[in-house]
Amino acid sequence: MVQVPRLFRRFMPQLIHMFVLPIFFFAFVMIYHPFELKIHFGTVWFGVHVTILSCIIFACIVITRLLYYFLPLRLNYSLYSLWCFGEVFFCSVFCALYLWMIRNKPDSYFDQLSLIFESILFVQVIPYVILALAMRIHDYATLKSEPENNSRMRFYDSNHNLKFVATADTILYIGAEENYINIYYTDNGRVKCYVLRSSMRSVDELCLANGLVRCHRSFYINPSHVRILRKEKEGIVMAELDVNDVRDIPVSKKFYNNLAEML
């Protein structure tokens, strides 16, 4: 299943979520009073309670968004939606606790939780959808603005910081080594290597989107630079590149047919 774009993992979108969600909740509830909340809060202290609930939501969103930013998660759209649903529930737990306490516990805590969860979910689904669509449109527009045959590959480290940018046609191959990946590329006719603290799994989507092919569990290769596929006496298949002074790349049986079809 398709993973969410890397843009969703950057810090600025997390910061936007931290402020937009509680502000939208405050404005929406103050204007529309959904689910007869004014009856539960009372008319006199209604604004005060909504302000405190918005602050609780802000604190909860800060926690969940920082976790999302720093944890090495690889989420598809379904799992990201589940994460957002979990954020709403996390906010609801503490908002319900506040309401249950200030109302002197007139009913069950779980009744309060059900009410506030329904309210927050109903209100917050709007900004969640708008933010997700905005980021997806921005990501799509960025990809479309780049020349198709000269697309730029942006490599990020394990902390999601941009470290290396190269056009796809200059990449020869990418090899994994413990907690690092080695990116071999050409620059003015010379072969260079950039060492990046990251994993092969983290560049899967990037490589596939830019024409690189998995040829081994530890290697991605650029088919446009493969000169020949050569079978050794031991039965091992090696890919010879069209650039001098570059090692031959092993090709496992699992990926051989896919690579061969692209040559």
Side-chain angles (χ1 to χ4, degrees), residues 28-188:
F28 190 93
V29 173
M30 290 296 293
I31 295 172
Y32 295 105
H33 307 159
F35 298 96
E36 300 180 342
L37 290 179
K38 204 162 189 175
I39 298 177
H40 296 278
F41 294 162
T43 303
V44 178
W45 296 97
F46 179 75
V48 175
H49 293 322
V50 174
T51 301
I52 294 175
L53 288 177
S54 300
C55 292
I56 293 173
I57 291 174
F58 173 74
C60 293
I61 294 297
V62 167
I63 294 172
T64 57
R65 284 290 147 178
L66 288 178
L67 285 174
Y68 181 69
Y69 177 74
F70 286 109
L71 292 177
L73 302 173
R74 299 179 71 246
L75 305 181
N76 54 40
Y77 285 104
S78 297
L79 292 176
Y80 181 74
S81 299
L82 187 61
W83 178 277
C84 295
F85 186 84
E87 277 185 335
V88 173
F89 183 77
F90 183 63
C91 294
S92 302
V93 168
F94 292 96
C95 288
L97 182 61
Y98 166 75
L99 292 177
W100 187 59
M101 294 177 66
I102 61 104
R103 296 186 66 203
N104 296 319
K105 309 173 185 178
D107 46 18
S108 168
Y109 165 76
F110 294 101
D111 290 337
Q112 291 290 330
L113 178 60
S114 177
L115 169 68
I116 199 65
F117 176 71
E118 185 179 3
S119 303
I120 295 177
L121 182 62
F122 174 79
V123 174
Q124 298 294 54
V125 70
I126 300 173
Y128 270 118
V129 171
I130 292 175
L131 289 172
L133 288 176
M135 287 189 289
R136 191 67 187 95
I137 291 171
H138 180 274
D139 185 71
Y140 179 77
T142 302
L143 292 175
K144 292 293 288 183
S145 66
E146 297 175 346
E148 186 174 338
N149 296 323
N150 197 32
S151 59
R152 290 184 176 275
M153 298 180 66
R154 294 175 171 83
F155 293 89
Y156 297 79
D157 63 13
S158 55
N159 293 322
H160 316 298
N161 297 314
L162 180 63
K163 291 295 185 179
F164 181 67
V165 179
T167 54
D169 59 344
T170 64
I171 303 294
L172 300 174
Y173 69 92
I174 299 173
E177 186 176 351
E178 295 183 352
N179 296 324
Y180 296 86
I181 60 173
N182 301 313
I183 306 168
Y184 286 85
Y185 65 102
T186 57
D187 182 17
N188 294 323

Side-chain angles (χ1 to χ4, degrees), residues 200-226:
M200 291 292 278
R201 182 177 296 179
S202 67
V203 299
D204 281 343
E205 183 181 356
L206 177 66
C207 290
L208 294 175
N210 288 275
L212 272 70
V213 181
R214 193 73 174 260
C215 64
H216 188 273
R217 65 184 182 86
S218 300
F219 291 95
Y220 266 100
I221 196 169
N222 191 337
S224 64
H225 287 288
V226 176

Side-chain angles (χ1 to χ4, degrees), residues 189-207:
R190 298 177 58 188
V191 177
K192 296 184 179 180
C193 175
Y194 186 87
V195 181
L196 178 68
R197 185 175 180 82
S198 187
S199 65
M200 291 292 278
R201 182 177 296 179
S202 67
V203 299
D204 281 343
E205 183 181 356
L206 177 66
C207 290

